[in-house]
Amino acid sequence: MQISKPNWFESLKQHIEENDKITVFRHHNPDGDAYGSQWALVSWIRHHYPDKEVYAMGLQNGSLRHLFPPLQDVRNEQVLDSLGIILDTANAPRIDDRRYLDCRYTLKIDHHPHDDDYADESYIDELAPSTSEIVAQWMYWMDPKPLPMYIAQFLYIGMVMDTLHFTISSVNAQTLKVAGYLLESGFDVASLDDKMMLMSKNIFDYITYLRSHCSVDRIGLVYCYVPLDVQEQFHLTTQQAKEEVNAFKRLDVAKVWALLVEEDGLYNVSIRSRNHQVNQVAEKYGGGGHRFACAAHRLSFEQTTQLLDDLKNVLI
Amino acid sequence: MQISKPNWFESLKQHIEENDKITVFRHHNPDGDAYGSQWALVSWIRHHYPDKEVYAMGLQNGSLRHLFPPLQDVRNEQVLDSLGIILDTANAPRIDDRRYLDCRYTLKIDHHPHDDDYADESYIDELAPSTSEIVAQWMYWMDPKPLPMYIAQFLYIGMVMDTLHFTISSVNAQTLKVAGYLLESGFDVASLDDKMMLMSKNIFDYITYLRSHCSVDRIGLVYCYVPLDVQEQFHLTTQQAKEEVNAFKRLDVAKVWALLVEEDGLYNVSIRSRNHQVNQVAEKYGGGGHRFACAAHRLSFEQTTQLLDDLKNVLI
């Protein structure tokens, strides 16, 4: 397999080899890529350097937590003067666990737009579809033998979740070759996919509700309000309710789609689009994100109607 | 890239080089893999041997026909004494166009269980997730340079559709490396995926109907009858109605799922399962297929209730 070798690969290797205490961070409300890249790197370092102290940082929550090791309770002295590696996290407020400030030295490894230089060194590939792919490339460069299966699975989860099963534009030949390298470890993709993607009947019914209650605007905006009583009806947390924004992704008339999820009388809005830039709309309401995938939080109902108008204007 | 090289690769090359007239067949009601492997091979031979006469055989129908070149009207004398290559077709009755019998010599290339030796030579890889993957491997062996983009896209469609976005058990490291090789041709996966997967509002609403009208049996059987008036309500052909059997695939309690689609007062049944063998049930009613994906046709309502009972017995 041909893989690209960024010039920082050697530097990451040196930092890891020079430090006996390493803490690995990622963002709040971890998705598959945050969890996957974090636990893969933690496990890989432990596997190759069993004498080092290595800790995974952050609250172990979200709908994918069952795919990863349980929460570690890391004491302050275990963080102090460690090498801190922060994965998949665009800006400092998003880092899960403030104690990254206690690290001796910090490295940022990410694929989001690099707008916050919070670490001592930053290794950024904005074109990479996932942080897990970057980490997998580095591991391949360190040793091209197949990875231990559990490490390969962590990274595969990250790649699949962030690329929506290899269907987003940034997926390229290398993405699939790296995924092929991970599969050399020999796990069954169907079983892993079931563990990632199977949903309980209440989530299944909630998505059915979204499909039958969405507003489909003539110019390509599809959206659905999710009031509190609907979240209660399907036994959902606000976070779970927000995660199903892609319920409308396969609908051909949907150019931009959004979920507006009530919380404390205000609304959290998740926005997706096929190829219309929408993050400037989210930013107008104090939110942000990627060009085609973004969010804004704690808006009044009136603000949400303005935001929907702004999204329609993007489409005109 | 390492690819496996079956011993018949050389033989296929020789047959193609020795024949100036070549016809390429696939099965009735072509899915992405049948279409993709067929049009890729036709296009590849035309590209490399512009002096040969090469024809794609079969009726150009089904929901994916917009992704492939339009129907060719092939005359009898164009088939007579040609080399016939039959792709992705398990048995003779499934071959689309009876005139394969007029070929001078026939080759079968397939990944289905090899239970019908209808061709003069058969190249079978029952472990391959798709026929498109087999054809892509052969093309890579013939010339490892990136394929022309349109040929790579034909094969990518076949691989994605037959593997359900690389999520079935037979997907392995080589599958993803071959897919990565196809992406070297430079096409945008997101645009291609939209062309494959986007659905019109009536199909979207039909799936919503299936989700809200399915019976969810306590032991893991999920099924839905689709009477004629429902097909009319959503403006569907029977074939279109059958294609959405995987509407229940992501539901965690679904171990076996089925659609029972009315046609002329009888029912066509499509059956899928996560890991319970169900094809012996389909065979009992004159149908058949893969272990986890099969069908039976033209059953009375009473037979469908017996069949559902048989599926429940598989789960007990």
Side-chain angles (χ1 to χ4, degrees):
Chain A
M1 187 175 79
Q2 282 275 325
I3 61 153
S4 65
K5 182 197 162 295
N7 49 19
W8 57 264
F9 273 16
E10 187 69 39
S11 177
L12 174 60
K13 177 178 186 240
Q14 277 180 12
H15 281 297
I16 290 173
E17 288 185 345
E18 287 165 5
N19 284 275
D20 292 331
K21 197 162 69 168
I22 300 171
T23 45
V24 182
F25 297 75
R26 39 79 186 151
H27 61 73
H28 289 288
N29 296 322
D31 55 12
D33 193 30
Y35 266 142
S37 57
Q38 178 190 40
W39 276 109
L41 189 59
V42 166
S43 309
W44 190 96
I45 299 172
R46 286 179 181 163
H47 181 82
H48 286 81
Y49 307 98
D51 293 337
K52 292 186 192 294
E53 289 180 63
V54 192
Y55 305 107
M57 308 297 293
L59 278 178
Q60 209 82 349
N61 53 14
S63 60
L64 294 172
R65 67 183 183 281
H66 64 287
L67 297 172
F68 299 94
L71 180 65
Q72 295 177 297
D73 191 10
V74 184
R75 298 189 308 278
N76 290 343
E77 61 268 30
Q78 292 172 316
V79 186
L80 197 67
D81 294 325
S82 65
L83 169 70
I85 304 177
I86 302 149
L87 296 161
D88 196 43
T89 308
N91 51 55
R94 294 268 292 146
I95 302 173
D96 193 355
D97 203 323
R98 293 293 87 193
R99 293 177 292 174
Y100 78 95
L101 295 165
D102 300 336
C103 294
R104 189 187 67 72
Y105 197 82
T106 52
L107 308 176
K108 171 185 180 179
I109 305 176
D110 195 17
H111 74 125
H112 294 93
H114 183 46
D115 54 6
D116 186 349
D117 220 0
Y118 57 70
D120 294 307
E121 280 179 42
S122 293
Y123 310 144
I124 310 295
D125 180 358
E126 295 190 11
L127 298 180
S130 66
T131 300
S132 293
E133 179 175 330
I134 300 172
V135 171
Q137 282 174 52
W138 179 79
M139 290 179 184
Y140 180 83
W141 171 77
M142 290 286 286
D143 179 2
K145 283 203 305 288
L147 288 166
M149 198 186 285
Y150 66 110
I151 298 177
Q153 286 184 317
F154 291 154
L155 293 170
Y156 199 80
I157 292 167
M159 291 183 68
V160 164
M161 297 300 288
D162 250 33
T163 63
L164 305 177
H165 286 94
F166 309 111
T167 64
I168 64 171
S169 266
S170 51
V171 167
N172 55 51
Q174 178 158 285
T175 307
L176 290 170
K177 290 177 186 176
V178 168
Y181 160 61
L182 297 180
L183 266 184
E184 284 175 5
S185 71
F187 62 87
D188 178 65
V189 280
S191 306
L192 187 64
D193 200 72
D194 277 351
K195 284 188 193 134
M196 279 188 269
M197 307 309 293
L198 286 190
M199 59 184 78
S200 57
K201 185 69 165 52
N202 66 313
I203 301 270
F204 185 84
D205 290 340
Y206 167 59
I207 294 173
T208 307
Y209 172 92
L210 294 178
R211 295 172 69 107
S212 47
H213 287 75
C214 62
S215 299
V216 180
D217 185 272
R218 193 175 40 82
I219 56 170
L221 177 64
V222 177
Y223 63 92
C224 192
Y225 279 92
V226 185
L228 220 52
D229 62 332
V230 170
Q231 299 170 46
E232 284 162 6
Q233 176 189 344
F234 296 106
H235 312 291
L236 301 173
T237 64
T238 305
Q239 181 62 32
Q240 286 175 315
K242 279 165 57 184
E243 278 174 12
E244 304 306 337
V245 59
N246 276 320
F248 313 124
K249 175 179 158 66
R250 298 294 192 199
L251 179 56
D252 63 358
V253 293
K255 295 174 183 165
V256 172
W257 53 100
L259 277 191
L260 306 106
V261 178
E262 188 182 356
E263 184 178 26
D264 304 330
L266 298 172
Y267 290 86
N268 298 313
V269 188
S270 298
I271 309 165
R272 298 289 182 274
S273 94
R274 216 169 294 293
N275 44 32
H276 284 79
Q277 190 178 343
V278 285
N279 57 344
Q280 78 285 8
V281 174
E283 283 162 16
K284 181 175 165 189
Y285 296 89
H290 297 273
R291 285 196 304 158
F292 304 153
C294 55
H297 299 288
R298 305 191 64 71
L299 307 189
S300 68
F301 180 77
E302 179 156 83
Q303 282 177 307
T304 64
T305 64
Q306 288 164 1
L307 180 143
L308 291 172
D309 279 342
D310 289 337
L311 289 177
K312 285 179 197 167
N313 285 329
V314 167
L315 286 168
I316 287 169
Chain B
M1 188 176 81
Q2 282 276 326
I3 61 153
S4 67
K5 183 197 162 294
N7 50 19
W8 56 263
F9 273 16
E10 187 69 38
S11 176
L12 175 60
K13 176 176 185 244
Q14 277 180 13
H15 281 297
I16 289 173
E17 289 185 345
E18 287 167 3
N19 284 276
D20 292 330
K21 196 162 69 169
I22 301 171
T23 45
V24 182
F25 298 73
R26 39 79 186 151
H27 62 72
H28 288 290
N29 297 321
D31 55 12
D33 193 31
Y35 265 142
S37 57
Q38 178 189 40
W39 277 108
L41 189 59
V42 166
S43 309
W44 189 96
I45 299 172
R46 286 179 181 161
H47 180 82
H48 286 81
Y49 306 99
D51 293 336
K52 291 187 192 293
E53 289 180 64
V54 192
Y55 305 106
M57 308 298 291
L59 277 177
Q60 208 82 349
N61 53 15
S63 60
L64 294 172
R65 66 182 183 283
H66 64 288
L67 297 172
F68 298 94
L71 179 66
Q72 295 176 298
D73 191 9
V74 184
R75 298 189 308 279
N76 290 344
E77 61 268 31
Q78 292 172 315
V79 186
L80 197 66
D81 293 326
S82 65
L83 170 70
I85 304 176
I86 301 148
L87 296 160
D88 196 43
T89 308
N91 52 56
R94 293 269 292 146
I95 302 172
D96 193 356
D97 203 324
R98 292 294 87 192
R99 293 178 292 174
Y100 78 94
L101 295 165
D102 299 336
C103 294
R104 188 187 67 73
Y105 199 80
T106 51
L107 309 175
K108 171 184 181 180
I109 305 176
D110 195 17
H111 73 128
H112 294 92
H114 184 47
D115 54 6
D116 186 349
D117 220 2
Y118 57 71
D120 295 307
E121 279 179 46
S122 295
Y123 311 143
I124 310 296
D125 181 358
E126 294 189 12
L127 298 179
S130 65
T131 300
S132 293
E133 179 175 329
I134 300 172
V135 171
Q137 282 173 52
W138 178 80
M139 290 179 184
Y140 180 83
W141 170 78
M142 289 287 286
D143 179 1
K145 283 203 307 288
L147 287 166
M149 197 185 286
Y150 66 109
I151 298 177
Q153 286 184 317
F154 291 153
L155 293 169
Y156 199 81
I157 292 167
M159 291 182 70
V160 164
M161 298 300 288
D162 250 32
T163 63
L164 305 177
H165 286 94
F166 308 111
T167 64
I168 64 171
S169 267
S170 52
V171 167
N172 54 53
Q174 177 159 286
T175 307
L176 289 170
K177 290 177 186 176
V178 168
Y181 160 61
L182 297 179
L183 267 183
E184 284 175 4
S185 71
F187 62 88
D188 178 65
V189 280
S191 305
L192 186 65
D193 200 71
D194 278 351
K195 284 188 195 135
M196 277 187 270
M197 306 309 294
L198 286 190
M199 57 185 78
S200 57
K201 185 70 165 56
N202 66 315
I203 302 270
F204 184 85
D205 290 341
Y206 167 59
I207 294 172
T208 307
Y209 172 91
L210 294 179
R211 296 171 69 107
S212 47
H213 288 75
C214 62
S215 299
V216 180
D217 184 271
R218 193 175 41 81
I219 57 169
L221 176 65
V222 178
Y223 62 93
C224 193
Y225 279 92
V226 185
L228 220 53
D229 61 334
V230 170
Q231 299 171 46
E232 283 163 6
Q233 176 189 344
F234 296 107
H235 312 290
L236 301 173
T237 64
T238 305
Q239 182 61 31
Q240 286 175 314
K242 279 167 56 186
E243 279 174 11
E244 304 306 335
V245 60
N246 276 320
F248 312 123
K249 175 180 159 66
R250 298 293 194 200
L251 180 57
D252 62 359
V253 293
K255 294 174 184 165
V256 171
W257 53 100
L259 277 191
L260 305 107
V261 178
E262 187 182 356
E263 185 178 23
D264 303 330
L266 298 172
Y267 290 86
N268 298 313
V269 188
S270 298
I271 310 166
R272 299 289 182 274
S273 94
R274 214 169 295 294
N275 44 33
H276 285 79
Q277 190 177 342
V278 286
N279 56 344
Q280 78 285 6
V281 175
E283 283 162 16
K284 182 175 163 187
Y285 296 89
H290 298 273
R291 284 195 306 158
F292 304 153
C294 55
H297 299 288
R298 306 193 64 71
L299 307 190
S300 68
F301 179 77
E302 177 155 85
Q303 283 177 306
T304 64
T305 64
Q306 288 166 358
L307 180 144
L308 291 173
D309 279 342
D310 289 337
L311 290 177
K312 285 178 197 168
N313 284 331
V314 168
L315 287 167
I316 286 170

